[in-house]
Amino acid sequence: MASNTGNAFDFNLFKRLLKYTNPYKGTFYFVGVAAVLLSFFSVLRPYLLQVTIDDAIMPSDNEGLVFYVALMLGVLLLEVISQFLFIYYANWLGQEVVRDLRVNLFEHMLKFKMKYFDKSAVGRLVTRAVSDIETISSIFSQGLFMIISDLLKMLVVLGFMFYKSWQLTLLVLTVLPFIIYATRVFQKKMKVAFEDVRNQVADLNTFVQERITGMKIVQLFTREKAEYEKFKGINDKHRKAWVKTVWYNSIFFPIAEMSTSITIGLIVWFGGLRAIENDSLSLGVIIMFIELSQMLFRPLRQIADKFNTLQMGMVAANRVFGILDTRSFISDEGSREVGKLNGKIEFKDVHFSYVDDEEVLKGVSFKANPGETVAIVGATGAGKSTVINLLNRFYEIDSGQILVDDIDIKDVKLKSLRSQIAVVLQNVFLFADTIMSNITLDHPDITEEDVITAAKQIGIHEFINTLPNGYHYNVKERGVMLSSGQRQLISFLRAYVSNPSILVLDEATSSVDSYSEQLIQDATDKITEGRTSIVIAHRLATIKKADKIIVMDAGRIVEIGNHEQLLQQKDGYYKKLYEVQFMAEESLRS
């Protein structure tokens, strides 16, 4: 891929993009043939005009005039049909390529490890998947084939001009090198300018997406004016990037227009002198050359304009292929499929770091036996959530082993492993869809009856029925139509209905009302029953009921035991945590 944005064109990138037209070779060649036909029709019209003037108008031949006019109309009709087919199928091909490329990109991003999304701005990824790919379609609809068509026109026109009068052709060509040089400089400058434009568009999208998503924080901390000023700055950079492209256009196109006018003047002057002196050039030929010179220069100006479109598409393609070339995947080389697991979990001396040389887990080892509920407690940053992430293989461990039923999870196919583990996160994410769709995630094997039965079992059927349309209530983006407690109840049902072998809960209720908290506690008791559960515990009731409590501090396990055992340890970490945090919680309840 191109890394030097100053290069006028990257042919390797272009060849790679053309591979996406392979399934549509018939259409690709058809558009090419239409481009060839258009180039010949473009020469035929000026020639017929010359013949009409010299053979019909000058001799005052009325019948000949009618014949040539009818012939020109027929040629014009064929040209219009060819133009229609050319434009329609060039755009059709562009949209087919865009569809395939967008599907490939989205499929590729679905496989990325969480580390990639941790480092990548959402707005920038959205720009790549939507607007950048749409820009690529213009390569085919307005760029590539248009340029090919224009180049063919120029070659045919130039050849025909030499055939009719080499003297007038050479006169026209004296101006052509200047236009070509100006076009080349223009192309290079526009490549850099459009790269800057795409950067600014991505920054703008990222900023707007983040501020709209975090609008509550902006307003809570009265950051409206500050964010407004930041937006003005980013928007101004975006404006300046576009103004630079306007500046280059403002210079190039007047120069091109002036050069065309000079050429017409030279043709009239030289051709007129020849016609007056020895009548070697007819009036029809002079008019034909004026028309042909326009056809020679107009495509050249249009090529520059189309090349702008092509450059924007190539810049967008460069960015999209940059994501497609990213190999940020969790290794899925395991060959084992696991059915229903017994639920035994074992961490063996696990070391892990999100950032190189900054370990988050420092030799973590523990066992969870089948059917046990294991609570993990500790201060913020102790590594509790990391344990959950690693069990699901959202990240690769640095060293050690993680086993399920005595099988290394690296030996298990990712889909098979994750199908046996259900997770309820503290920050529940719901899609802008119905409650039913958010619970089943459109899994074909989970019916509405299954969902209703499961909801009754964990005690939230009545709550769902109180909502408009019940299970078919649309919760809107991120579930904003529900309270945090209600969203968590939906996530509990989503986990329960999948019937997992292992359950992982991050069950914070810091912003949940007492009614929802009781429902959540009842749901927790039900869904953990009879299956291995790893719980990042925030409620005292869950901790007390846990078969085993793992106490973490700064990435290490400092204590393991049940509630009573840990309280008996003099000056123990858990005992101090209990006295400070959990006894305060009990006093509030009493």
Side-chain angles (χ1 to χ4, degrees):
M1 281 189 339
S3 58
N4 183 0
T5 57
N7 290 339
F9 199 77
D10 187 336
F11 284 98
N12 289 329
L13 180 64
F14 187 63
K15 283 166 58 179
R16 182 176 180 184
L17 188 60
L18 281 183
K19 289 180 180 178
Y20 281 86
T21 66
N22 287 344
Y24 316 104
K25 283 183 178 178
T27 303
F28 185 87
Y29 293 134
F30 176 81
V31 174
V33 170
V36 172
L37 288 174
L38 285 173
S39 66
F40 283 102
F41 283 134
S42 65
V43 171
L44 195 54
R45 281 191 296 108
Y47 172 69
L48 288 174
L49 179 62
Q50 178 242 314
V51 173
T52 303
I53 292 171
D54 291 342
D55 295 350
I57 295 176
M58 296 301 292
S60 301
D61 180 0
N62 290 335
E63 290 184 3
L65 179 62
V66 172
F67 170 75
Y68 285 123
V69 169
L71 192 59
M72 282 193 286
L73 285 174
V75 169
L76 181 62
L77 180 62
L78 290 174
E79 188 176 4
V80 167
I81 293 172
S82 298
Q83 190 81 28
F84 164 74
L85 294 173
F86 174 74
I87 292 173
Y88 177 81
Y89 282 105
N91 279 273
W92 181 89
L93 181 63
Q95 289 304 316
E96 292 297 309
V97 169
V98 159
R99 180 194 62 188
D100 295 346
L101 190 55
R102 186 178 282 127
V103 167
N104 285 354
L105 180 66
F106 188 71
E107 182 185 28
H108 192 73
M109 289 195 296
L110 285 174
K111 299 174 184 176
F112 282 158
K113 62 177 73 172
M114 289 299 109
K115 190 174 183 178
Y116 178 85
F117 296 106
D118 293 341
K119 295 181 178 181
S120 302
V122 174
R124 193 171 292 272
L125 292 176
V126 170
T127 301
R128 300 292 176 268
V130 181
S131 62
D132 276 345
I133 287 189
E134 198 59 45
T135 303
I136 292 173
S137 71
S138 63
I139 290 178
F140 300 95
S141 60
Q142 302 171 41
L144 171 65
F145 292 115
M146 292 293 185
I147 290 174
I148 291 173
S149 177
D150 287 344
L151 285 173
L152 282 172
K153 282 180 184 178
M154 290 174 65
L155 289 172
V156 172
V157 165
L158 199 57
F160 187 70
M161 287 171 71
F162 267 112
Y163 170 73
K164 297 300 291 184
S165 173
W166 65 268
Q167 296 102 326
L168 281 179
T169 305
L170 289 177
L171 194 66
V172 171
L173 290 180
T174 58
V175 184
L176 194 61
F178 177 73
I179 295 289
I180 292 174
Y181 174 75
T183 302
R184 180 68 173 170
V185 172
F186 178 68
Q187 290 167 356
K188 287 186 175 182
K189 294 292 185 183
M190 290 301 285
K191 173 74 181 294
V192 177
F194 281 132
E195 177 74 26
D196 192 24
V197 166
R198 299 311 303 170
N199 280 332
Q200 298 306 326
V201 168
D203 289 344
L204 196 62
N205 284 346
T206 298
F207 184 89
V208 172
Q209 189 271 335
E210 286 181 345
R211 269 56 185 184
I212 291 175
T213 303
M215 189 59 70
K216 184 180 289 185
I217 299 298
V218 171
Q219 294 182 357
L220 277 172
F221 289 90
T222 62
R223 292 284 300 169
E224 293 92 338
K225 183 174 176 56
E227 297 302 331
Y228 169 72
E229 293 299 329
K230 282 184 183 179
F231 179 78
K232 280 176 62 178
I234 294 172
N235 198 40
D236 191 53
K237 288 181 180 179
H238 178 259
R239 179 191 63 82
K240 288 178 179 177
W242 269 112
V243 167
K244 189 181 291 184
T245 69
V246 174
W247 167 253
Y248 293 140
N249 278 293
S250 301
I251 294 174
F252 174 76
F253 287 103
I255 289 174
E257 197 65 40
M258 180 183 68
S259 302
T260 304
S261 300
I262 290 172
T263 304
I264 293 173
L266 290 172
I267 292 172
V268 172
W269 168 72
F270 182 78
L273 286 177
R274 293 288 302 276
I276 292 170
E277 290 175 358
N278 54 23
D279 199 29
S280 62
L281 288 177
S282 67
L283 179 62
V285 171
I286 293 172
I287 292 174
M288 180 185 69
F289 258 81
I290 292 173
E291 187 77 13
L292 289 173
S293 68
Q294 293 290 299
M295 288 188 173
L296 187 64
F297 287 154
R298 191 184 305 125
L300 192 59
R301 296 199 304 271
Q302 289 176 347
I303 283 174
D305 196 28
K306 299 298 187 302
F307 207 90
N308 294 347
T309 302
L310 187 60
Q311 295 287 45
M312 287 191 73
M314 293 297 286
V315 169
N318 194 50
R319 294 172 176 278
V320 170
F321 285 132
I323 296 178
L324 286 172
D325 289 339
T326 301
R327 316 308 298 175
S328 183
F329 303 140
I330 292 291
S331 173
D332 192 13
E333 297 176 356
S335 58
R336 302 190 62 167
E337 295 271 3
V338 291
K340 194 70 176 174
L341 293 170
N342 293 322
K344 181 181 178 182
I345 301 170
E346 185 173 3
F347 275 56
K348 287 185 175 182
D349 193 28
V350 173
H351 291 257
F352 172 75
S353 53
Y354 291 105
V355 180
D356 291 343
D357 300 322
E358 294 181 19
E359 276 196 339
V360 177
L361 296 187
K362 305 169 184 177
V364 169
S365 299
F366 70 87
K367 286 183 183 179
N369 295 316
E372 278 189 340
T373 296
V374 177
I376 304 177
V377 300
T380 301
K384 305 185 298 296
S385 296
T386 301
V387 171
I388 291 176
N389 288 331
L390 297 183
L391 181 60
N392 283 279
R393 289 201 69 200
F394 288 141
Y395 300 86
E396 296 279 24
I397 62 176
D398 298 337
S399 63
Q401 269 190 311
I402 302 175
L403 310 175
V404 290
D405 285 4
D406 297 318
I407 306 168
D408 193 318
I409 60 173
K410 289 183 178 180
D411 297 331
V412 181
K413 290 185 177 179
L414 270 178
K415 186 175 181 181
S416 179
L417 174 69
R418 290 174 180 171
S419 68
Q420 294 300 310
I421 303 173
V423 181
V424 177
L425 296 173
Q426 178 178 347
N427 298 315
V428 178
F429 187 93
L430 298 180
F431 295 97
D433 207 333
T434 64
I435 287 178
M436 181 63 65
S437 292
N438 271 288
I439 292 168
T440 65
L441 298 177
D442 297 323
H443 196 292
D445 295 333
I446 303 176
T447 65
E448 186 167 345
E449 290 73 21
D450 295 333
V451 173
I452 294 172
T453 301
K456 289 177 179 177
Q457 289 174 347
I458 66 173
I460 66 172
H461 175 68
E462 291 182 8
F463 139 65
I464 295 176
N465 271 341
T466 62
L467 299 172
N469 297 324
Y471 288 87
H472 299 283
Y473 178 60
N474 193 312
V475 299
K476 306 299 181 184
E477 186 177 1
R478 292 180 172 269
V480 294
M481 303 304 291
L482 302 177
S483 70
S484 59
Q486 290 172 331
R487 288 196 296 271
Q488 197 161 54
L489 288 169
I490 297 301
S491 71
F492 269 79
L493 181 54
R494 179 162 62 192
Y496 183 62
V497 80
S498 66
N499 192 26
S501 302
I502 298 170
L503 185 68
V504 178
L505 302 178
D506 188 350
E507 39 125 28
T509 56
S510 55
S511 58
V512 175
D513 59 84
S514 57
Y515 174 72
S516 295
E517 184 174 357
Q518 185 56 52
L519 286 178
I520 289 171
Q521 184 58 58
D522 294 342
T524 301
D525 293 342
K526 180 64 179 178
I527 68 175
T528 56
E529 186 179 303
R531 59 170 54 90
T532 307
S533 304
I534 305 292
V535 183
I536 296 180
H538 300 269
R539 289 190 295 274
L540 184 60
T542 303
I543 295 169
K544 282 185 173 180
K545 291 178 182 178
D547 301 298
K548 186 182 296 178
I549 300 171
I550 296 173
V551 186
M552 297 190 67
D553 180 39
R556 290 186 171 88
I557 295 177
V558 292
E559 295 171 1
I560 295 181
N562 60 34
H563 180 67
E564 290 76 17
Q565 291 170 342
L566 293 176
L567 285 182
Q568 292 173 7
Q569 295 187 20
K570 187 177 180 181
D571 296 326
Y573 188 95
Y574 176 81
K575 185 176 182 181
K576 291 178 182 177
L577 195 67
Y578 173 76
E579 290 171 350
V580 172
Q581 180 179 342
F582 302 136
M583 288 187 71
E585 182 184 333
E586 279 198 318
S587 65
L588 286 174
R589 294 177 184 276
S590 60

